[in-house]
Amino acid sequence: MSRKLIHVAAAAIRNSKGDYLIAKRSANQHQGGLWEFPGGKVEAGEEPLCALNRELEEELGIQVVAARPLIKVPYHYEDKSVLLDVFEVSEFEGEPWGREGQPVQWVMESDLDSYAFPAANRPIVDACLLPSSIAITPSFSDVADLERFSRQAISAGAEAIMLRAHDFSERDFIGAYHILNRLCEEEGVVLIANTSLELAEQHNIDALHLTSSRLESLENRERFSGRWLSASCHNKDELALATLKGVDFISLSPVLATVSHPDAEPLGWECFRKIANECPMPVYALGGLSVEDLAAAQRCGAQGMMSIRAWGA
């Protein structure tokens, strides 16, 4: 699409309790009546963070103290195209209020899904809700080893577990899923199943990760009734397919050289950055990473990182 993108700086503002501040668009605005993450247009020659500081002062009466890039969202409506340059604001001065008469509200993270946002804001909601680090289970043949690995990874800081057990029968996979699901519920982390759409739907799995081949056979996002649908991508063509199918987030790999796929050409951080910044959904870096690479991944526009060996496999 050749239409020029309107560059907008937006903020996912968190208070000390972890709640997010959202504002309601007036009825006469584009996408009026919906809730949004505050921000405004970036002027020509203006740095996005400077624009955000200016907009938040004008709209909310606050000054940004600490912020980090969260996600970039290119989005095309029928009548306009936008690039949302989104920052997570974790510290600010002042008490936010609607200086332009707009309603503002602090919302618990768990309640964000219940608010109506413009379509371009949906990936921001996802980025707010998704974890930053995901541990992928190694190729164990025993469920006890899967559970041990998962406990170890959670203790080391993993915020989600992806059950990847392609050598298991469907029955054994579901048995392992239920065991790990109990563990993840106890620990307050997300469990993602790397399996088929059909098996996920049969067993009411709420977070499903598709291989690139399974992504290709997916008709569209509506085929999956769970909350989270993600997919493995390795290049721009697969990213375009994931966007077309409407998945919620992707993994992009390999970023660095890996032991498991020694013949695969690594993307490198700069190539990863370019692809991630064109992706209209959260992206996880995958391939040859350690826990220490999380900050580097996020500096390059990633939601976070996925790994097997980083967690002591």
Side-chain angles (χ1 to χ4, degrees), residues 84-145:
L84 301 183
D85 216 332
V86 188
F87 294 81
E88 181 182 75
V89 175
S90 55
E91 190 176 348
F92 55 89
E93 291 181 350
E95 186 63 33
W97 62 287
R99 293 187 68 181
E100 298 175 342
Q102 76 278 27
V104 297
Q105 187 168 327
W106 287 106
V107 178
M108 292 175 60
E109 179 180 284
S110 58
D111 291 338
L112 278 176
D113 267 340
S114 63
Y115 286 78
F117 290 90
N121 275 221
R122 290 308 308 178
I124 309 175
V125 174
D126 290 344
C128 291
L129 297 178
L130 285 166
S132 60
S133 53
I134 300 176
I136 304 172
T137 59
S139 298
F140 292 129
S141 58
D142 188 274
V143 175
D145 289 332

Side-chain angles (χ1 to χ4, degrees), residues 73-266:
V73 184
Y75 194 87
H76 304 283
Y77 293 102
E78 289 187 3
D79 55 342
K80 66 190 299 185
S81 296
V82 296
L83 171 63
L84 301 183
D85 216 332
V86 188
F87 294 81
E88 181 182 75
V89 175
S90 55
E91 190 176 348
F92 55 89
E93 291 181 350
E95 186 63 33
W97 62 287
R99 293 187 68 181
E100 298 175 342
Q102 76 278 27
V104 297
Q105 187 168 327
W106 287 106
V107 178
M108 292 175 60
E109 179 180 284
S110 58
D111 291 338
L112 278 176
D113 267 340
S114 63
Y115 286 78
F117 290 90
N121 275 221
R122 290 308 308 178
I124 309 175
V125 174
D126 290 344
C128 291
L129 297 178
L130 285 166
S132 60
S133 53
I134 300 176
I136 304 172
T137 59
S139 298
F140 292 129
S141 58
D142 188 274
V143 175
D145 289 332
L146 289 172
E147 186 174 9
R148 174 194 55 77
F149 169 84
S150 299
R151 288 187 184 277
Q152 179 176 303
I154 293 169
S155 296
E159 297 172 348
I161 301 294
M162 181 180 292
L163 175 57
R164 181 180 180 275
H166 295 325
D167 293 334
F168 278 32
S169 66
E170 290 188 357
R171 178 178 178 180
D172 288 343
F173 184 94
I174 292 302
Y177 176 84
H178 287 308
I179 290 171
L180 294 190
N181 196 41
R182 286 194 293 271
L183 168 63
C184 289
E185 287 181 349
E186 291 170 3
E187 298 291 340
V189 302
V190 178
L191 178 62
I192 304 166
N194 187 324
T195 187
S196 68
L197 172 66
E198 293 73 22
L199 196 65
E201 287 292 271
Q202 288 171 21
H203 296 275
N204 298 314
I205 288 173
D206 198 46
L208 171 64
H209 188 78
L210 300 175
T211 62
S212 53
S213 60
R214 284 171 172 159
L215 171 65
E216 191 170 355
S217 64
L218 177 73
E219 291 181 15
N220 54 56
R221 176 63 176 81
E222 285 67 38
R223 289 293 310 280
F224 178 60
S225 59
R227 173 58 180 91
W228 297 112
L229 179 64
S230 58
S232 296
C233 294
H234 307 89
N235 51 54
K236 288 186 176 182
D237 289 341
E238 290 178 353
L239 169 58
L241 184 61
T243 303
L244 179 66
K245 299 297 179 75
V247 304
D248 302 308
F249 64 94
I250 66 163
S251 63
L252 181 59
S253 67
V255 178
L256 305 177
T258 68
V259 175
S260 57
H261 298 84
D263 296 330
E265 181 69 25

